[in-house]
Amino acid sequence: MGGTPSECCSTQLIDGDGGFNVTGLENFIKEVQLKECGLSYAVVSIMGPQSSGKSTLLNNLFGTNFREMDAFRGRHVLNATFTYDHFISQTTKGVWMAIGAGIEPLTIVMDLEGTDGRERGEDDTAFEKQSALFALAVSDIVLINMWCHDIGREQAANKPLLKTVFQVMMRLFSPRKTTLIFVIRDKTRTPLEALEPVLREDVQKIWDSVPKPEAHKETPLSEFFNIEVVALSSFEEKEEQFKEQVASLRARFFYSIAPGGLAGDRRGVVPASGFSFSAQQIWKVIKENKDLDLPAHKVMVATVRCDEIANEKFSDFTANKEWCQIEEAVQSEPVPGFGQKLSVILEACLAGYESEATYFDEKVRTSKRKQLEEKLLQLVLPAFQSVMGHLRSGTLEKFKETFDKALSGGEGFSSAARECTKLYMAQFEEGCTDAVIEQAKWDTSKVKEKLKRDIDAHIAALREAKLSELSKVCETKLDESLSGSLEALLDEANDQTWPAIRKLIQCETEYAVSEFSSAVSGFELDEQTKEKMIGHLRDHARGVIEAKVKQEAGRVLSRMKDRFETLFSRDADSMPRIWTGKEDIHTITKTARSASLKLLSTMAAVRLDSEPDNIEKSLSIALLGPKSNSTITDRSITYRADPLASSTWEKVPSSKTLITPIQCKNLWRQFKSETEYSVAQAMAAQEAARRSNNWLPPPWAILALVVLGFNEFMTLLRNPLYLGVIFVGYLVIKAVWMQLDISGEFRHGALPGIISLSNKFLPTIMSLLKKLAEAGEAPQTNNPYRNPADGSKSFGSSVSANGSMSSTSSSVVFPEDTANHSNSSKED
């Protein structure tokens, strides 16, 4: 057993007990390379009575090496050593198979166990029917070996065999015709032309006697079988003639599958790659004693084999080196030529499937091919999605980069957006074409739409950011230009302040709008959007003014005090005011307060709409106007008579109100209380100035002093020493007066002057004594030509002369005071 097809391999397919040799069949198919044949193969089987020379015929007809009976080889001679057991051992058991040697196409030859065998018993026909049914199901040509002397006999040995064949044929439901070749063995002198009609008549009678299903009651034999009759001479008696006749019959098996050949009907043929599985399943169904529906069996075999082929091709694809490299590469970056490369690999895989499954049932083959294709495409789908993802993200990044460069280069926003979008959407289309797999009809429009949405979203976000940035720049410029000018205008609050503010906001806003319109021209905004943004810019300008005025309104009290102090404490030349006693403090105070009130009325409300109001008039009447002479005792009447006893201004909406009337009243009260001190100080300074300018006593007091002090005056004249003491005392007091600046200290009031003099008195006295001591030592150290003795004399003489001592002391001790005194005298 075994070998190449030319060596006539033989294998037992089914043993005598009905066991199917799966392993032997698989090895046989591999050895003869059956799977590569497709539909180009034929199966021939032989039936007949036991020991009728079936194996001998097959060995001579096909060159096989089935075991033969020695009697038919012409080498065995009956003698005492030939036993029945030896005879039994030489017969075929079960079903054997081999390959016809030198026959094209490849032909499988099956040798079946003989019928009516004595070893199985007369009644045991189960295996006989099963093997016959199996042979009819798998064979294209069935040889029926029969003896020539059985033709025309009622009790012929072949009649049970024919009945068995026709009975099992009813269970096959086969769509094709099987060729039955009746081989007449040991032909006599009776010509074949005489034997064939008799044989055909016997066969027809057997066919008519076989029970049939309703569907085939009237079906002729020719619908199921092609009947052929051949006759062979005796192998023992006419071996040469037998071999010539066999050779002639052998020639008919060449190209038997061609149209018109012995196996020309190929409708129910199972492809060679499915033969093993088909044979196993047929025998399984036969053993289970079920009806064998060959068309359904063919579909089942095709389903199983196509599944196996598809799974094999799928495994080959997953192990494909190029596919593995592509699958790994797409995880990190797009693969150039992805679609073309995968299309080639997929096409090769599907072509391999088609090549192996081409002979199976078309519907099953097509269905399984579709399933394999779907399975393969499902496998490569993640890689395709990765490629599309890389393509989309890469295109988006390139778009962003190019778009930013275009904007940096000064190109208009909208034109840059259009050009870049058009360019990169076209590039994406090219990338999609490169990535599309030929076998897959995947729609890339969703990825394209996603990219378009991403690009549009980026453009919209960038547009919004750019417009917001431009708006913010214009708003910042507006803030800077309005804030500084507004603060200056509010510092000079008067009747023209708000008209000036309105003019300021109009000029600055128009300038900002002009700049903004020029800056956004490249965005190609529609008129509605543009007007909306310009309106927002105008609103922002008004908001800046309102916010700034509101902020300044919170500091109005401080501003009022600053303005009051400026006007009250400084003259028309902005020089500090000196209260000499000639100024009209009441008028100055009223003027300063009026200016502060003007500031308060200016800050009380926002007046950007040129609508008239009576805020200033109400404040002037209520806060500066003369008090009414009538006495109002009823509080309710007093409340109604007060124009500031309200939380709103007449003709001014609450949204425009910065300081309510009642708040103005409270602020004015606080303002007056905090500025009263400055007024009081001014009045005190003025009074002090008057007093310092009138230090001499009244004339009547001088006359009284002269009259009442006449005696004391005469006493002084009689004693000149008193005059010297008085003169020295006068000089000392004058020096202290000048050092302490007593008149200046009392200029700001009596109490502050006393406190200041008390702090300066003692240090001033100590300073004068120190200077007196230094002046006393000066003559000795500063006169080098003076004689000490003369100095002593001089000292003595100065002591003796009263007047000269006083004069000298005065000149030495108070040199600076003398100068100060002269200056003071000049000022006076």
Side-chain angles (χ1 to χ4, degrees):
M1 184 180 75
T4 62
S6 61
E7 292 174 339
C8 309
C9 305
S10 62
T11 299
Q12 187 175 29
L13 182 62
I14 301 172
D15 61 24
D17 297 326
F20 196 93
N21 185 9
V22 177
T23 304
L25 178 59
E26 292 293 340
N27 293 332
F28 175 84
I29 289 173
K30 288 180 181 178
E31 289 175 3
V32 302
Q33 301 176 357
L34 178 62
K35 288 184 178 181
E36 300 176 4
C37 295
L39 295 179
S40 298
Y41 75 101
V43 180
V44 179
S45 60
I46 189 167
M47 302 179 187
Q50 191 177 52
S51 303
S52 60
K54 298 188 300 299
S55 299
T56 302
L57 174 59
L58 293 179
N59 290 341
N60 284 273
L61 184 60
F62 295 105
T64 55
N65 57 357
F66 295 118
R67 179 180 296 179
E68 303 176 18
M69 286 288 294
D70 289 341
F72 291 100
R73 293 176 183 163
R75 294 186 295 272
H76 181 70
V77 180
L78 292 176
N79 52 36
T81 63
F82 185 79
T83 64
Y84 177 74
D85 292 335
H86 179 77
F87 176 80
I88 293 303
S89 67
Q90 298 296 316
T91 60
T92 302
K93 301 293 184 182
V95 178
W96 287 74
M97 64 189 304
I99 292 297
I103 296 180
E104 290 292 336
L106 186 143
T107 301
I108 299 174
V109 182
M110 292 197 301
D111 187 9
L112 273 66
E113 181 177 329
T115 59
D116 63 18
R118 183 176 298 179
E119 65 274 12
R120 288 192 179 270
E122 294 181 0
D123 298 327
D124 190 4
T125 60
F127 185 81
E128 176 184 325
K129 290 182 178 181
Q130 289 173 350
S131 59
L133 181 58
F134 178 77
L136 286 173
V138 301
S139 300
D140 301 296
I141 304 167
V142 177
L143 299 175
I144 297 179
N145 203 36
M146 59 185 302
W147 300 112
C148 182
H149 57 76
D150 282 340
I151 297 176
R153 294 174 55 197
E154 287 294 329
Q155 303 299 323
N158 62 343
K159 281 190 175 181
L161 173 62
L162 287 176
K163 285 184 179 181
T164 299
V165 169
F166 293 155
Q167 286 174 355
V168 298
M169 192 66 191
M170 295 296 100
R171 297 172 56 190
L172 283 180
F173 307 105
S174 175
R176 65 170 176 162
K177 288 184 180 182
T178 302
T179 299
L180 293 181
I181 299 180
F182 288 88
V183 181
I184 301 174
R185 303 294 298 276
D186 295 349
K187 176 181 171 297
T188 61
R189 294 180 179 178
T190 305
L192 179 62
E193 290 78 7
L195 294 174
E196 185 174 351
V198 178
L199 177 60
R200 288 182 179 272
E201 183 179 353
D202 290 343
V203 170
Q204 186 64 43
K205 288 180 181 179
I206 297 172
W207 171 256
D208 293 338
S209 66
V210 172
K212 304 178 187 65
E214 284 295 326
H216 297 292
K217 284 286 187 183
E218 304 298 330
T219 303
L221 178 64
S222 60
E223 289 290 325
F224 290 93
F225 299 103
N226 290 320
I227 304 296
E228 298 281 346
V229 180
V230 295
L232 298 177
S233 299
S234 172
F235 177 74
E236 294 179 353
E237 298 174 0
K238 302 177 180 179
E239 184 175 354
E240 292 299 325
Q241 188 177 357
F242 173 84
K243 289 184 178 179
E244 290 177 1
Q245 293 169 344
V246 167
S248 176
L249 178 61
R250 173 184 171 86
R252 298 188 63 185
F253 285 93
F254 280 86
Y255 308 107
S256 60
I257 62 175
L262 293 177
D265 189 352
R266 311 300 292 165
R267 286 176 294 175
V269 178
V270 175
S273 62
F275 180 81
S276 174
F277 177 78
S278 176
Q280 294 176 49
Q281 294 300 314
I282 288 174
W283 184 248
K284 179 181 178 182
V285 172
I286 291 172
K287 289 289 288 183
E288 293 173 355
N289 200 27
K290 296 179 181 179
D291 289 341
L292 184 62
D293 188 347
L294 287 184
H297 172 76
K298 179 184 178 183
V299 171
M300 184 268 291
V301 172
T303 301
V304 173
R305 275 300 297 149
C306 287
D307 266 337
E308 291 176 353
I309 296 171
N311 291 334
E312 180 183 345
K313 296 305 174 185
F314 183 81
S315 299
D316 292 344
F317 181 87
T318 56
N320 185 280
K321 185 177 181 181
E322 188 176 1
W323 155 245
C324 293
Q325 292 174 348
I326 293 174
E327 185 180 26
E328 182 179 358
V330 297
Q331 301 303 319
S332 57
E333 59 182 358
V335 176
F338 173 84
Q340 184 179 3
K341 291 177 181 178
L342 268 187
S343 296
V344 171
I345 300 173
L346 287 170
E347 184 59 34
C349 180
L350 294 174
Y353 168 84
E354 284 289 350
S355 175
E356 294 189 26
T358 186
Y359 302 113
F360 289 101
D361 183 81
E362 183 178 0
K363 290 184 179 179
V364 175
R365 183 182 74 245
T366 304
S367 174
K368 295 301 178 181
R369 184 190 189 282
K370 185 177 181 181
Q371 292 179 12
L372 173 61
E373 186 174 353
E374 290 175 354
K375 193 175 179 182
L376 290 171
L377 293 178
Q378 195 67 26
L379 176 66
V380 303
L381 179 60
F384 175 77
Q385 290 173 338
S386 296
V387 170
M388 296 304 296
H390 290 312
L391 184 61
R392 182 186 63 80
S393 59
T395 304
L396 181 60
E397 289 303 318
K398 290 179 182 178
F399 168 82
K400 291 179 180 179
E401 183 179 351
T402 305
F403 188 41
D404 290 342
K405 287 182 179 179
L407 294 180
S408 300
E411 188 175 349
F413 186 92
S414 295
S415 61
R418 280 194 302 271
E419 293 300 323
C420 291
T421 300
K422 181 179 179 181
L423 173 64
Y424 285 99
M425 288 305 294
Q427 288 188 9
F428 180 76
E429 287 283 359
E430 294 176 3
C432 288
T433 303
D434 182 66
V436 166
I437 299 171
E438 183 180 341
Q439 292 79 6
K441 305 301 179 183
W442 289 327
D443 186 11
T444 60
S445 61
K446 290 185 177 179
V447 184
K448 182 179 179 181
E449 291 172 2
K450 178 70 167 61
L451 174 62
K452 187 65 168 62
R453 287 197 302 270
D454 291 343
I455 289 176
D456 290 343
H458 177 72
I459 292 173
L462 196 57
R463 178 195 300 271
E464 184 177 354
K466 292 288 185 182
L467 290 175
S468 177
E469 183 180 351
L470 287 174
S471 297
K472 199 161 292 284
V473 169
C474 291
E475 290 172 1
T476 303
K477 290 182 178 180
L478 267 178
D479 290 350
E480 293 174 355
S481 60
L482 290 175
S483 297
S485 302
L486 179 63
E487 191 167 351
L489 289 173
L490 292 177
D491 286 339
E492 301 295 332
N494 52 47
D495 293 337
Q496 296 303 314
T497 297
W498 280 107
I501 291 175
R502 288 192 290 270
K503 186 175 181 181
L504 171 68
I505 192 174
Q506 181 181 1
C507 293
E508 294 297 338
T509 302
E510 290 302 325
Y511 180 74
V513 167
S514 175
E515 281 195 341
F516 180 77
S517 299
S518 176
V520 300
S521 60
F523 289 87
E524 299 179 4
L525 300 176
D526 57 89
E527 286 300 320
Q528 184 178 358
T529 304
K530 186 176 179 181
E531 288 300 324
K532 183 178 179 181
M533 297 186 73
I534 290 175
H536 176 75
L537 197 60
R538 295 182 189 277
D539 292 341
H540 177 77
R542 293 175 66 93
V544 170
I545 296 294
E546 291 178 0
K548 186 65 177 177
V549 173
K550 188 174 183 179
Q551 179 184 357
E552 295 298 325
R555 300 171 48 232
V556 68
L557 180 60
S558 174
R559 282 181 167 273
M560 289 169 64
K561 291 192 294 182
D562 290 343
R563 173 167 287 196
F564 178 84
E565 288 295 334
T566 300
L567 296 177
F568 185 76
S569 301
R570 294 182 178 271
D571 56 20
D573 297 327
S574 297
M575 298 298 292
R577 196 185 296 278
I578 298 176
W579 304 106
T580 63
K582 299 176 183 180
E583 295 83 0
D584 186 357
I585 293 181
H586 178 74
T587 303
I588 295 172
T589 302
K590 187 174 182 180
T591 302
R593 286 180 176 174
S594 296
S596 299
L597 186 65
K598 175 71 72 174
L599 176 61
L600 179 61
S601 67
T602 301
M603 305 289 288
V606 177
R607 300 176 179 87
L608 293 176
D609 298 324
S610 302
E611 295 180 359
D613 59 67
N614 56 1
I615 295 177
E616 184 176 357
K617 183 178 179 181
S618 299
L619 288 174
S620 298
I621 293 172
L623 302 178
L624 296 179
K627 294 183 180 179
S628 175
N629 294 328
S630 61
T631 304
I632 303 173
T633 57
D634 185 38
R635 294 184 64 184
S636 62
I637 297 174
T638 304
Y639 177 80
R640 286 195 297 269
D642 187 357
L644 299 183
S646 173
S647 60
T648 57
W649 296 105
E650 186 179 357
K651 299 181 182 180
V652 178
S654 58
S655 61
K656 302 295 183 182
T657 300
L658 298 177
I659 307 173
T660 63
I662 193 68
Q663 289 174 337
C664 286
K665 187 174 182 179
N666 293 334
L667 285 170
W668 186 256
R669 185 182 299 114
Q670 186 177 355
F671 166 73
K672 287 184 69 176
S673 66
E674 292 183 8
T675 56
E676 284 293 343
Y677 177 75
S678 297
V679 177
Q681 286 287 87
M683 294 177 69
Q686 194 176 53
E687 184 63 26
R690 287 196 190 101
R691 289 176 182 175
S692 64
N693 291 333
N694 297 326
W695 58 275
L696 291 177
W700 61 267
I702 296 174
L703 182 60
L705 285 174
V706 171
V707 173
L708 297 176
F710 180 77
N711 293 333
E712 287 76 6
F713 179 71
M714 293 304 295
T715 303
L716 289 175
L717 290 178
R718 292 188 188 101
N719 191 358
L721 183 60
Y722 287 156
L723 290 175
V725 173
I726 291 172
F727 181 70
V728 172
Y730 168 75
L731 292 178
V732 171
I733 292 172
K734 184 66 175 178
V736 172
W737 182 281
M738 296 301 294
Q739 288 291 324
L740 293 178
D741 191 16
I742 293 175
S743 60
E745 294 295 340
F746 280 95
R747 185 177 300 166
H748 300 291
L751 184 59
I754 292 171
I755 294 173
S756 178
L757 291 175
S758 64
N759 291 331
K760 293 169 62 178
F761 181 75
L762 186 58
T764 302
I765 296 298
M766 296 299 295
S767 176
L768 290 175
L769 293 176
K770 183 178 180 181
K771 289 180 180 179
L772 181 61
E774 291 175 353
E777 295 175 359
Q780 296 178 3
T781 58
N782 295 334
N783 192 358
Y785 301 103
R786 187 172 181 179
N787 194 335
D790 293 340
S792 299
K793 291 180 181 180
S794 175
F795 179 74
S797 61
S798 64
V799 173
S800 62
N802 295 332
S804 60
M805 178 182 177
S806 298
S807 177
T808 305
S809 299
S810 175
S811 62
V812 172
V813 176
F814 305 107
E816 297 177 1
D817 291 345
T818 304
N820 291 335
H821 178 69
S822 63
N823 292 334
S824 178
S825 298
K826 290 179 182 179
E827 291 178 1
D828 292 339

